[in-house]
Amino acid sequence: MSADKFSNQSITPDDLAKVNSQQFTPISHVYVKVNLMCRLVFWLIIVSLLLILYWQPWFTLPKTIELYLPQIQLAVGILGLLSSAYGVIADKQKGYAVREHDFSYCSGVIFRSVISQPILRIQHVELKHGPIDRHFELANLEVFSAGGAMHTFAIAGLPNETARKLRSYVLTHSDIAEND
Amino acid sequence: MISYKGQWLKLSPVAIIYFAVQFVKDVGNNLIYLLPAIFVGYNQFSENAVTIVSGLAALLVLVVISALLKFYFYQYRLTEGRVQIHSGVFQKKHIDLPFERIQNVRFEQPIFYRPSHHVCMLLDTAGSNKLEAKIIALPKDTADALKREILSYKAQEVKTTENDEPQTEHEQLLNSRSIKDLIMHGLASNRIWIVLGALAPFFNSLSEKFIEGVENMGVDVDALMESSQYAFWQYFLFFLSIAFVVIAVMALISVLGSVITFYDFKLTRSNDRYIRRNGLFTRHEVVMKLSRLQMIVCQQNWLDKALKRVNLKFEQLGAGLERQSAGTSGGKIMVPSVTLEQANTLASDAWPENQLKTIKYHPVSKRLAVRNTLIAFWLLVPLSIALTYYEQTELALASVTLFVLATLLIILGWKRWGYAIKDDFIYLRKGLIGVNYRCFPIHKIQQTQLHQSWFMRRFRLCSVKFVLACGGQTLPFIKKPTGEKLVDTSLHQVEALKRSWM
């Protein structure tokens, strides 16, 4: 936590704390695995649905669809594998950093982005965990500012414990206490 | 102070009209989708006049009963520091709103409230639009007193040691708009195209009706089209004049719309509060605390540029939610079609240190134009080649022309982009044919974002997005060190100054 010491050193623009030279902590590797599993299961379901459609005895399919269904299945399967692989790469790029006065979150493979949220501007914090997250003890931290729901700052795939710590870091932060 | 505190109060009977009008409006909004059907089935309807009339009568009775019920079940109470409202006939709604959660107080005065001097008071809360409380009919004096009390409530809480604000608040007129200004605004604003867009679904049936109508007058349209007795230029002139008439009618509608919404527009200031009053039929009154102001926007489309006018907007909280309502309702304050001089005076009245008028903008990287041109190229040029291959020369030519036009617009758009950072403010300029200037204090930033695509990484460029309470502002294609410095400076100002954003 920040100490309440008063300091007043002069700062030139080059001496400012740099957002981009922070050490970003990668998100939990459990999350990467869980995400991969979810994606694979999702694509598996789609491919199996297509298979069921192909083998089902109840009604006859239009000729063209019947002709191209195996190709479509193959394409969907490959797309699923590729997107899952991409998902792993993308998840490995995600990371967060905490400084005294703000959070940052980086993500993206082709489109990289670093989002920074000053703690002073936080309106409320939410911890979200779905059934799968709960099973693997993961949580999503969502931070809302007055920027609106479109600009919610979210860190996905945090271990439960870390997420709770981060939340209490925000809630007990002096900037928030002063603002209330 | 208000004397009837603590009791549950009924509205003044004039509210019955309000409920009735609201009901008719709601029904009307749903009926709009049936309009084409009504047009088409008009003949059948006219044969069953009795049914129609009795249907209308039933509707009227329904309106009256619903309005009376709503009136009967509506009651409100003003207790120490909170507003409570009970409403609803079948679905009960209870609102309990502490004064300190009220972000904004607005008045609406529909035309039928004017003789009895009543207003409808709208209390906005932060966050969602659904948490809005409406006191349907209050006498004007009571409403004014209540407004003063609500707005000073928070201030009192904060500075209890200070003396109360002087009772005699005097309002200083900052700007008013004459009919001439509003006509100019109507001509220049793009509402024509909004109206056209809204009419789009009916174009087919409208044009059929039109041709039918013309034919009924004894003109044979088909023969007119086919006959060779008119030269090409005559047709051209004919359609040109029709287009001209249509545009003139649309412009007239737009001017009327502008006059009706902004009639007798007055922007006044009393201490730290801005008050906007406008409207011909329904009078609107919006109060904004200066500290709530997030961004000043000066908008100029090509017609505004020609007329040397600017639309000045004071954006406050959550303007994104109210963007659809064309700046009439909601908490946003728009001053229509002011001169450049007036715009500058207003801007510096709100934020004296801002330099919207004199600031020099830095250009953004020309790679923005290059990238957009490349996108347009890959979308249109291969298409035109393919079209040439299939011997669709005309379409191919059109596609190439489109590419040239798009490139011109892209270059124009790139030239418009500009940014500046000076003292405590960030300035952005953008546009295409028109221009849009934005200015906001750095300490009001809620969040910063730095984006970089693969293409931008190669050229060491980035885009920066500043998220404000009134929405995100993007600055594309600037040098990466500049972008990083902007983000670092913004975060530093927010975190070190710790100034409030509202």
Side-chain angles (χ1 to χ4, degrees):
Chain A
M1 304 278 150
S2 66
D4 264 353
K5 273 185 211 153
F6 179 76
S7 64
N8 195 15
Q9 289 170 352
S10 66
I11 293 178
T12 59
D14 292 331
D15 292 339
L16 287 175
K18 291 184 176 56
V19 157
N20 247 12
S21 52
Q22 293 180 85
Q23 274 300 323
F24 283 92
T25 317
I27 53 169
S28 155
H29 60 275
V30 180
Y31 174 78
V32 181
K33 281 183 198 157
V34 171
N35 230 354
L36 176 66
M37 194 185 74
C38 290
R39 277 202 196 92
L40 285 176
V41 167
F42 170 77
W43 287 105
L44 204 68
I45 289 173
I46 291 194
V47 172
S48 348
L49 281 178
L50 286 174
L51 265 180
I52 292 171
L53 192 71
Y54 192 60
W55 293 114
Q56 51 84 21
W58 301 292
F59 55 90
T60 49
L61 292 166
K63 265 273 169 299
T64 41
I65 293 187
E66 207 173 335
L67 197 65
Y68 288 112
L69 208 53
Q71 280 97 316
I72 294 175
Q73 279 164 15
L74 193 70
V76 168
I78 291 173
L79 185 73
L81 281 180
L82 282 180
S83 81
S84 305
Y86 177 81
V88 173
I89 300 171
D91 282 345
K92 292 221 158 144
Q93 295 290 330
K94 289 179 187 163
Y96 66 94
V98 183
R99 296 193 293 188
E100 269 180 66
H101 295 287
D102 51 43
F103 286 151
S104 293
Y105 180 70
C106 71
S107 62
V109 182
I110 297 167
F111 297 95
R112 299 274 301 150
S113 68
V114 179
I115 302 177
S116 307
Q117 177 65 58
I119 293 172
L120 183 70
R121 294 281 177 263
I122 292 174
Q123 301 264 324
H124 77 278
V125 195
E126 265 179 34
L127 276 189
K128 273 195 178 161
H129 12 211
I132 299 172
D133 290 336
R134 269 205 303 277
H135 185 261
F136 292 98
E137 300 202 328
L138 292 171
N140 297 332
L141 183 77
E142 290 191 354
V143 169
F144 296 86
S145 65
M150 286 261 296
H151 299 106
T152 305
F153 177 89
I155 306 177
L158 288 168
N160 238 337
E161 193 54 30
T162 320
R164 257 198 220 111
K165 270 187 201 155
L166 284 177
R167 183 178 63 174
S168 72
Y169 178 64
V170 172
L171 294 178
T172 54
H173 198 280
S174 59
D175 284 353
I176 297 274
E178 266 172 43
N179 217 16
D180 275 344
Chain B
M1 286 287 136
I2 301 156
S3 54
Y4 42 74
K5 272 188 171 170
Q7 315 158 16
W8 283 101
L9 299 169
K10 284 257 172 246
L11 294 169
S12 140
V14 72
I16 298 173
I17 308 177
Y18 185 92
F19 285 122
V21 170
Q22 211 60 28
F23 187 84
V24 171
K25 264 191 196 166
D26 288 345
V27 172
N29 277 338
N30 293 321
L31 278 187
I32 277 191
Y33 304 104
L34 292 179
L35 219 58
I38 293 173
F39 264 123
V40 174
Y42 177 73
N43 287 333
Q44 284 154 19
F45 283 136
S46 54
E47 282 163 18
N48 303 318
V50 183
T51 331
I52 303 273
V53 169
S54 48
L56 280 179
L59 192 70
L60 196 71
V61 172
L62 190 67
V63 167
V64 171
I65 290 176
S66 103
L68 282 172
L69 281 176
K70 276 184 194 161
F71 171 74
Y72 181 77
F73 284 107
Y74 189 106
Q75 49 183 357
Y76 67 100
R77 180 162 75 162
L78 307 163
T79 54
E80 194 54 55
R82 56 203 319 133
V83 182
Q84 287 168 301
I85 298 172
H86 287 187
S87 63
V89 181
F90 296 111
Q91 202 175 3
K92 297 284 181 196
K93 197 168 153 190
H94 292 191
I95 295 175
D96 184 353
L97 190 63
F99 283 177
E100 68 260 21
R101 292 225 348 249
I102 296 171
Q103 295 287 339
N104 202 1
V105 181
R106 292 188 275 143
F107 288 155
E108 256 181 38
Q109 192 178 37
I111 195 161
F112 45 83
Y113 273 10
R114 237 171 271 176
S116 58
H117 294 287
H118 278 77
V119 289
C120 171
M121 191 169 184
L122 297 108
L123 307 168
D124 295 332
T125 57
S128 84
N129 268 6
K130 284 173 196 151
L131 283 173
E132 182 190 75
K134 249 184 188 183
I135 304 182
I136 304 293
L138 272 181
K140 183 89 175 85
D141 306 336
T142 319
D144 274 330
L146 187 59
K147 180 183 83 179
R148 264 200 298 280
E149 199 181 331
I150 290 172
L151 288 173
S152 61
Y153 192 80
K154 220 174 177 178
Q156 275 174 14
E157 250 192 354
V158 176
K159 36 185 174 180
T160 36
T161 46
E162 282 181 31
N163 290 334
D164 278 353
E165 279 179 28
Q167 282 297 317
T168 51
E169 280 187 9
H170 106 124
E171 278 185 29
Q172 172 202 356
L173 182 70
L174 294 179
N175 199 292
S176 60
R177 300 282 82 201
S178 69
I179 294 284
K180 187 184 137 211
D181 296 321
L182 297 183
I183 291 174
M184 276 170 119
H185 178 69
L187 284 176
S189 72
N190 275 331
R191 273 165 213 218
I192 296 170
W193 311 116
I194 295 173
V195 172
L196 274 183
L199 281 178
F202 310 117
F203 270 159
N204 254 335
S205 59
L206 279 182
S207 62
E208 272 165 26
K209 284 275 156 202
F210 178 71
I211 290 176
E212 229 172 72
V214 172
E215 279 177 344
N216 283 345
M217 288 191 293
V219 183
D220 189 347
V221 177
D222 288 336
L224 193 73
M225 295 287 186
E226 281 166 12
S227 71
S228 52
Q229 55 176 316
Y230 298 107
F232 174 73
W233 64 269
Q234 279 171 313
Y235 284 117
F236 181 72
L237 268 186
F238 175 67
F239 284 110
L240 198 71
S241 49
I242 284 187
F244 181 77
V245 168
V246 168
I247 289 177
V249 169
M250 292 298 178
L252 194 71
I253 292 172
S254 174
V255 166
L256 275 177
S258 158
V259 170
I260 289 170
T261 11
F262 292 111
Y263 181 78
D264 194 21
F265 181 98
K266 278 197 176 67
L267 182 68
T268 55
R269 181 176 177 167
S270 127
N271 298 329
D272 64 339
R273 288 200 286 279
Y274 277 73
I275 303 156
R276 179 197 85 184
R277 293 191 183 87
N278 59 294
L280 179 62
F281 297 123
T282 300
R283 294 285 294 165
H284 292 268
E285 180 174 325
V286 174
V287 183
M288 176 187 77
K289 269 187 137 179
L290 182 57
S291 60
R292 301 264 156 85
L293 176 61
Q294 304 292 319
M295 179 168 72
I296 296 181
V297 182
C298 287
Q299 252 178 355
Q300 255 190 325
N301 62 23
W302 62 277
L303 263 172
D304 286 319
K305 270 187 94 75
L307 297 168
K308 292 209 165 61
R309 291 293 171 121
V310 186
N311 291 319
L312 185 86
K313 276 187 204 159
F314 291 123
E315 302 235 16
Q316 52 168 340
L317 224 111
L321 295 169
E322 289 145 7
R323 208 148 276 169
Q324 305 96 320
S325 56
T328 49
S329 60
K332 191 180 355 182
I333 291 188
M334 201 248 244
V335 194
S337 290
V338 286
T339 61
L340 295 174
E341 203 45 54
Q342 288 169 325
N344 285 321
T345 318
L346 284 172
S348 42
D349 180 76
W351 290 328
E353 320 87 71
N354 95 83
Q355 300 173 15
L356 204 53
K357 186 183 172 189
T358 51
I359 198 83
K360 290 266 180 297
Y361 291 88
H362 304 290
V364 302
S365 164
K366 57 179 179 299
R367 298 267 164 213
L368 174 67
V370 173
R371 183 203 62 177
N372 289 347
T373 314
L374 278 178
I375 292 176
F377 179 86
W378 285 114
L379 280 178
L380 294 169
V381 174
L383 181 75
S384 78
I385 293 171
L387 285 169
T388 327
Y389 181 77
Y390 290 110
E391 293 180 349
Q392 302 274 350
T393 338
E394 279 163 18
L395 283 176
L397 209 65
S399 152
V400 170
T401 320
L402 200 63
F403 169 67
V404 173
L405 271 178
T407 311
L408 284 177
L409 283 178
I410 284 165
I411 292 172
L412 208 61
W414 164 70
K415 278 217 155 257
R416 288 273 187 251
W417 272 109
Y419 69 96
I421 174 166
K422 185 101 196 280
D423 302 329
D424 296 339
F425 290 91
I426 289 179
Y427 306 85
L428 298 177
R429 182 188 64 196
K430 64 178 180 182
L432 204 61
I433 298 167
V435 212
N436 199 314
Y437 302 91
R438 281 140 197 253
C439 154
F440 54 88
I442 297 173
H443 74 264
K444 302 228 171 192
I445 289 173
Q446 301 282 335
Q447 188 187 75
T448 62
Q449 300 185 359
L450 196 121
H451 299 280
Q452 238 189 342
S453 69
W454 174 81
F455 178 83
M456 289 158 125
R457 268 204 298 279
R458 273 183 58 191
F459 299 102
R460 291 191 53 73
L461 297 168
C462 69
S463 291
V464 174
K465 186 170 185 182
F466 305 102
V467 178
L468 296 162
C470 60
Q473 304 302 318
T474 309
L475 172 59
F477 282 76
I478 51 174
K479 290 206 178 73
K480 193 176 174 217
T482 318
E484 283 176 347
K485 209 195 272 175
L486 276 175
V487 167
D488 292 336
T489 315
S490 307
L491 289 176
H492 179 256
Q493 287 229 20
V494 170
E495 292 159 3
L497 295 177
K498 292 193 199 309
R499 282 171 69 183
S500 167
W501 59 275
M502 55 172 273

